[in-house]
Amino acid sequence: MPIVVRIDVELAKRKMSVGEFAEKVGLTPANVAVLKNGRAKAVRFSTLEAMCRVLGCQPGDLLEYTDDE
């Protein structure tokens, strides 16, 4: 998939657990895992906004486009 989700990188930078992140964002740890593993088909802007607020980052820090070719 050409969109790579980099939540794990941002969590590691902040030494934040998935459980703590999920609680602060308002998601279940299972849904965070779906996002982290690239299995999500969509992300709501409100969820992206909450993730950026909690991590103090920009959307581009969490999502990266890569060319499959």
Side-chain angles (χ1 to χ4, degrees):
M1 176 176 257
I3 301 293
V4 177
V5 181
R6 301 175 49 86
I7 294 172
D8 53 344
V9 173
E10 296 301 318
L11 289 176
K13 285 181 185 177
R14 290 155 182 80
K15 297 183 170 103
M16 185 181 293
S17 72
V18 170
E20 179 184 359
F21 176 69
E23 185 177 328
K24 288 181 177 184
V25 172
L27 296 172
T28 65
N31 283 337
V32 173
V34 168
L35 287 168
K36 276 181 46 175
N37 296 327
R39 294 186 314 233
K41 298 293 181 191
V43 179
R44 292 177 189 238
F45 280 126
S46 59
T47 302
L48 184 59
E49 178 184 349
M51 291 189 298
C52 289
R53 179 179 30 79
V54 167
L55 294 173
C57 67
Q58 295 295 313
D61 297 327
L62 300 176
L63 303 172
E64 177 184 352
Y65 173 77
T66 57
D67 195 355
D68 277 349
E69 294 180 26

